[in-house]
Amino acid sequence: MQTTHGTRTSTMASRTTTIRTTTNGSGLCGFLNEPVHCPGENISGLCILLNTIMQMQLELFPNKISAPVQSLTVPPSGGIIPIAELFEAYQSCRRNKRNTTNALAFELDYEHNLVELLEEINNRTYNPGKSIAFIVDKPVKREIFAADFRDRIVHHLLINKINLFFEKEFIFDSYACRAGKGTHLGIRRIDRFIRKCSKNYIRDCYVLKMDIKGFFMSIDRSILYQRLESFLSKKYTLQDYEIVLDLCRKIIFYDPAHNCSIKGYHSDWDSLPADKSLFHSRPGCGLPIGNLTSQVFANFYLNSFDHFMKHSVGLCYYGRYVDDIVIVHQNHAYLTTLISVAGDYLQRELGLKLHNRKTCLKHYIYGVKFLGAIIKPHRIYIANRTKGNFYNTIQKFNAVAQDHKPNHAELVAFRSSINSYLGIMKHYSTYRLRRHLIFKFLSKWWWNAVKFNYKIEKAIIKK
């Protein structure tokens, strides 16, 4: 950012606003000193406001402008990313991360910070910052790298720009991190595959499940970038191609394990397998779990494998969620041969290995465990791990109520946590299970503070 050239007060829409003006090589940007409430909720309105301010600055400081001011709603010539797209990414990012320390610090002067971030992106001087590494235990033990809030904005910006091109390339039955997809669709699709392949459960068919060993930590960044660069050079048609490619390169090859702070204790990593940690991954390999870009890039990394299995091998009933692969076929021997076919392709083309202990081939009648559910003929159950986690959550909140009278924040936390489990379980044949867990194990104190709808699908705080 260059030096501030002037300050002037003007009245707009019956509101006094202080305008600061700054110049740089690409033109003039204006921003407000006092916060605009909920900017993310009305991107177009905010852009109109900023454009109006900038036009006022043109009139107020005609001799301070080194280049024409471009509209914030239309991408400038020369492939520069407009500020409206960064505000849209900011809106997406702040929805779930607004109360974190990094987010609050960023929002103290978000107008200045966004303009500064935009300059770094367009000038190609942006580099990812420090991440926070920690361990989570649910649903399984994992290592998470939480990127800085400004880096998360860049992740959302990048995915917003390239995801449309990815969607045209991905197969339908890739379910992870895609709008309109997800775990529930994946479970329903596998259930449908079994019904169709077995002719509505009247003939034999078999289900092959495969899993990739240490998937995120085994992704070769060079292979990923080469494939991504080749794909974007053919498919990406916007003028900011060079900037987008620069962001992809910096995010893919950045290793947060070499620049992070640890949240918790180093002993938290003691029981985590080495192939689940970025600190132990092979040189040049591994994407951090916790970044939006990692999830989408991981999908792209396996996209060629999806097309190989669907089109070259000719599979009809094939689905994948991240690295969980499911194939349904009426021939047991054929599925057996597919294990080596799939393993050879993954090793040869992507440097990945199948997890031998997690490869499973069996008749559909015994049930298929997939994405936290058990798929059986005519019904779908919730897996034991989810049931156990729900029970443990109830006991944790019972301990809170036994220790002291829960305050409002703890009430809200209780409602959110319980509803997350009920929201998952209501999609499957779990009414009796939900009723049993709630009525038998929930402390009487919580019944004085909350109520449930008649289907036991939602907890509501009593007024």
Side-chain angles (χ1 to χ4, degrees):
M1 296 290 292
Q2 299 295 323
T3 308
T4 300
H5 290 294
T7 303
R8 179 160 180 170
T9 302
S10 66
T11 302
M12 178 184 299
S14 302
R15 177 180 176 182
T16 302
T17 304
T18 301
I19 302 173
R20 289 186 291 177
T21 62
T22 59
T23 60
N24 55 38
S26 62
L28 180 69
C29 286
F31 52 91
L32 305 179
N33 274 340
E34 55 180 283
V36 177
H37 296 293
C38 302
E41 275 72 2
N42 190 350
I43 295 296
S44 61
L46 181 60
C47 289
I48 293 172
L49 174 61
L50 291 174
N51 279 330
T52 304
I53 293 172
M54 292 168 67
Q55 292 302 320
M56 291 176 61
Q57 292 173 331
L58 279 171
E59 298 175 1
L60 294 172
F61 306 101
N63 297 324
K64 302 293 184 179
I65 301 171
S66 58
V69 178
Q70 301 289 348
S71 170
L72 295 177
T73 57
V74 180
S77 60
I80 303 300
I81 292 176
I83 197 170
E85 293 186 4
L86 194 65
F87 267 106
E88 184 180 355
Y90 168 61
Q91 176 197 26
S92 300
C93 187
R94 73 201 285 266
R95 282 176 187 149
N96 297 320
K97 298 296 179 183
R98 195 175 183 186
N99 292 327
T100 63
T101 303
N102 287 337
L104 292 172
F106 188 93
E107 290 197 344
L108 286 175
D109 193 5
Y110 69 87
E111 303 97 338
H112 169 80
N113 291 332
L114 285 175
V115 171
E116 186 175 60
L117 179 58
L118 183 67
E119 286 187 342
E120 291 180 20
I121 293 170
N122 284 333
N123 294 335
R124 303 186 205 176
T125 58
Y126 164 80
N127 285 296
K130 197 171 186 177
S131 297
I132 299 174
F134 57 95
I135 297 293
V136 297
D137 293 314
K138 294 180 181 179
V140 294
K141 192 160 191 175
R142 271 199 195 99
E143 172 188 83
I144 304 294
F145 281 85
D148 189 73
F149 185 74
R150 79 194 302 267
D151 294 327
R152 288 177 178 271
I153 295 174
V154 177
H155 297 168
H156 280 269
L157 172 71
L158 181 60
I159 297 307
N160 287 347
K161 296 191 72 63
I162 65 179
N163 218 22
L164 176 64
F165 301 93
F166 282 165
E167 283 297 320
K168 295 178 181 178
E169 184 72 11
F170 291 163
I171 66 169
F172 181 86
D173 285 294
S174 168
Y175 314 115
C177 200
R178 296 177 65 188
K181 301 297 176 76
T183 57
H184 298 313
L185 176 67
I187 293 168
R188 291 196 303 270
R189 289 286 291 177
I190 300 305
D191 178 52
R192 183 185 179 195
F193 290 167
I194 293 171
R195 282 190 287 108
K196 291 184 71 174
C197 190
S198 65
K199 299 294 184 183
N200 207 23
Y201 313 119
I202 63 173
R203 76 174 187 185
D204 290 337
C205 80
Y206 302 87
V207 181
L208 171 63
K209 283 184 57 188
M210 296 183 290
D211 185 277
I212 297 172
K213 187 175 183 179
F215 174 51
F216 276 93
M217 305 310 144
S218 300
I219 293 175
D220 189 306
R221 298 177 197 144
S222 295
I223 294 176
L224 170 61
Y225 180 73
Q226 289 168 8
R227 287 175 174 262
L228 184 59
E229 182 182 29
S230 175
F231 173 80
L232 292 177
S233 66
K234 298 173 185 176
K235 304 291 185 178
Y236 194 84
T237 55
L238 304 182
Q239 291 183 334
D240 52 19
Y241 167 78
E242 293 294 340
I243 295 176
V244 167
L245 194 62
D246 179 67
L247 291 177
C248 289
R249 180 170 56 250
K250 288 176 177 176
I251 291 172
I252 288 173
F253 288 108
Y254 177 72
D255 187 354
H258 294 150
N259 182 28
C260 70
S261 58
I262 302 296
K263 180 181 178 182
Y265 302 96
H266 288 278
S267 58
D268 294 340
W269 273 258
D270 288 349
S271 59
L272 186 72
D275 63 2
K276 299 287 186 182
S277 174
L278 206 57
F279 293 107
H280 300 289
S281 61
R282 300 193 313 271
C285 293
L287 294 181
I289 297 176
N291 289 352
L292 174 63
T293 47
S294 296
Q295 299 174 57
V296 178
F297 287 159
N299 251 359
F300 175 77
Y301 196 69
L302 285 179
N303 181 58
S304 64
F305 175 73
D306 293 337
H307 285 278
F308 171 74
M309 298 298 282
K310 286 284 290 182
H311 303 129
S312 299
V313 177
L315 295 175
C316 182
Y317 304 123
Y318 168 93
R320 177 179 64 81
Y321 186 95
V322 192
D323 62 331
D324 290 334
I325 301 158
V326 179
I327 303 168
V328 182
H329 199 274
Q330 63 269 25
N331 191 316
H332 185 279
Y334 177 70
L335 288 177
T336 303
T337 63
L338 279 185
I339 298 174
S340 59
V341 171
D344 289 345
Y345 180 93
L346 290 169
Q347 177 69 57
R348 181 179 68 253
E349 299 292 333
L350 302 173
L352 302 173
K353 292 182 180 180
L354 288 177
H355 202 307
N356 292 331
R357 289 192 292 106
K358 293 186 178 181
T359 299
C360 176
L361 173 57
K362 60 183 179 180
H363 198 283
Y364 75 89
I365 198 71
Y366 297 110
V368 179
K369 186 177 180 181
F370 185 56
L371 304 181
I374 307 296
I375 304 169
K376 287 192 172 184
H378 306 291
R379 60 203 185 278
I380 301 175
Y381 296 123
I382 205 73
N384 287 334
R385 187 173 69 190
T386 304
K387 288 187 281 188
N389 289 340
F390 189 24
Y391 171 81
N392 292 336
T393 298
I394 292 174
Q395 295 299 337
K396 180 187 75 172
F397 281 108
N398 285 346
V400 171
Q402 186 176 0
D403 180 70
H404 62 273
K405 181 179 179 180
N407 56 35
H408 180 71
E410 289 169 329
L411 270 173
V412 172
F414 169 82
R415 179 188 61 187
S416 299
S417 185
I418 295 297
N419 283 344
S420 68
Y421 281 102
L422 294 179
I424 294 171
M425 297 171 71
K426 72 180 182 181
H427 291 277
Y428 313 111
S429 306
T430 59
Y431 172 75
R432 285 189 293 180
L433 174 64
R434 299 195 306 270
R435 183 179 178 86
H436 173 74
L437 289 172
I438 292 295
F439 281 88
K440 184 173 181 178
F441 297 108
L442 190 61
S443 167
K444 292 180 179 179
W445 191 95
W446 291 109
W447 281 104
N448 295 328
V450 300
K451 60 183 179 180
F452 295 86
N453 64 352
Y454 75 100
K455 290 185 178 181
I456 319 296
E457 293 177 346
K458 186 178 183 181
I460 305 166
I461 297 177
K462 293 180 180 179
K463 294 182 179 179

